[in-house]
Amino acid sequence: MRIALIHYSSPPIVGGVESVMAHHALLMTNAGHQVTIFAGRGKPFHPNISVKILPQLDSRNAEITEIKKQLDQGVYTADFDKMRDWLKKQLANSFDNFDLIIAHNIATLNKNLPLTAALYDLNQTPGFPHLILWHHDLSWSSARNHDDLHDGYPWDLLRDPWSWASHVVVSEIRRNEVCQLLKIPVEQIYVVPNGVNIESFLKFDLQTKQIIKELNLYEADPLVLLPARLTPRKNIEQALYIVAELKEIYPKTMLIVTGPEGPHNAQNASYKLKL
């Protein structure tokens, strides 16, 4: 599948959405999909992920910020229409032959309303790739943005249900906010929490990764850890009893004893075999 991700900026720009988008791109690429990132700022960060830069996608682009100043004052001008139509043409050409487009924050944040309007219009076009709107922030639900928002077009696009698009949020709280803002059933909003790369987060070395793979520890649910040596005084039997009880309810329960046999008693080796 050919997948396009679009946002105002992408790595190496540092930001929460940029980080999420980079991880999504890597996961999708590893799953065999062809991924292209479209952004106003950024650089290639992986040999198998294409990054296309169009400066006018950036929330900090000079032309875009000038239009935003006008919009923040409630002034809708021909400059907006001109930029919207230009972006629409550029994106229509760029998205040709893609199967799926994932837009981060563009549908609910007022950082680049010409881009929002261009994507909105394209989404109404027959044959346009399926659009997933990934909502991280909502301008209409944020008190600090209210002075910059006004009733009518194009500000109302940020609270429009965007027919034919799918909606994704990162939490149940955001799901309820989107439900109230867009006036759509909560069942139509998917919750996909931000994930954690466990190996990177916990700084696993190669040996730890190998042990996890050999013992299939990622399948454990729960994983019980006993940081003790294999000696009778550590009462490993009690841990085994607890795990046996847990497995009645949680069949994937696993126990890891981190220590070897005690080094100063020859009977510890036989104790290990007994267990």
Side-chain angles (χ1 to χ4, degrees), residues 71 143 248:
L71 291 172
E248 292 294 324

Side-chain angles (χ1 to χ4, degrees), residues 26 29-30 43-51:
L26 287 168
T29 299
N30 291 338
K43 296 179 181 179
F45 60 91
H46 189 278
N48 296 327
I49 299 174
S50 178
V51 177

Side-chain angles (χ1 to χ4, degrees), residues 72-255:
D72 289 350
Q73 300 301 315
V75 179
Y76 175 92
T77 70
D79 292 337
F80 176 92
D81 290 337
K82 183 178 179 181
M83 179 58 71
R84 175 202 60 207
D85 294 343
W86 185 84
L87 283 170
K88 192 191 309 184
K89 181 178 180 180
Q90 299 302 312
L91 293 178
N93 293 330
S94 297
F95 291 152
D96 189 32
N97 295 324
F98 277 92
D99 303 300
L100 179 68
I101 299 168
I102 304 176
H104 288 269
N105 260 354
I106 293 170
T108 50
L109 205 57
N110 67 326
K111 297 293 187 181
N112 187 335
L113 276 171
L115 171 58
T116 302
L119 191 60
Y120 181 87
D121 288 353
L122 288 172
N123 185 48
Q124 315 302 314
T125 305
F128 189 69
H130 184 64
L131 177 63
I132 295 178
L133 302 174
W134 210 288
H135 306 300
H136 303 266
D137 304 288
L138 314 175
S139 287
W140 276 109
S141 299
S142 174
R144 70 174 181 269
N145 290 318
H146 280 185
D147 290 342
D148 300 334
L149 300 174
H150 308 273
D151 291 330
Y153 183 88
W155 305 276
D156 282 351
L157 294 178
L158 302 176
R159 52 187 176 185
D160 187 279
W162 289 63
S163 299
W164 303 298
S166 298
H167 300 274
V168 177
V169 294
V170 298
S171 68
E172 289 291 343
I173 293 176
R174 187 68 79 225
R175 187 187 200 189
N176 292 328
E177 290 177 347
V178 170
C179 174
Q180 295 174 15
L181 178 65
L182 305 187
K183 304 295 189 294
I184 60 177
V186 68
E187 295 80 11
Q188 294 182 11
I189 306 167
Y190 300 91
V191 179
V192 182
N194 292 333
V196 175
N197 185 317
I198 296 176
E199 294 181 356
S200 175
F201 183 75
L202 297 179
K203 298 180 174 60
F204 289 164
D205 58 23
L206 290 177
Q207 183 178 16
T208 301
K209 293 177 184 179
Q210 185 63 32
I211 292 173
I212 291 171
K213 182 178 180 180
E214 289 177 356
L215 300 181
N216 203 24
L217 296 185
Y218 283 133
E219 295 300 315
D221 184 21
L223 176 63
V224 180
L225 182 67
L226 179 58
R229 288 185 177 276
L230 290 172
T231 62
R233 64 187 179 86
K234 296 297 183 180
N235 197 9
I236 309 299
E237 292 89 346
Q238 182 67 17
L240 293 173
Y241 171 78
I242 293 172
V243 168
E245 292 294 313
L246 283 172
K247 287 180 75 69
E248 292 294 324
I249 306 174
Y250 306 103
K252 293 185 178 181
T253 301
M254 295 180 65
L255 171 67

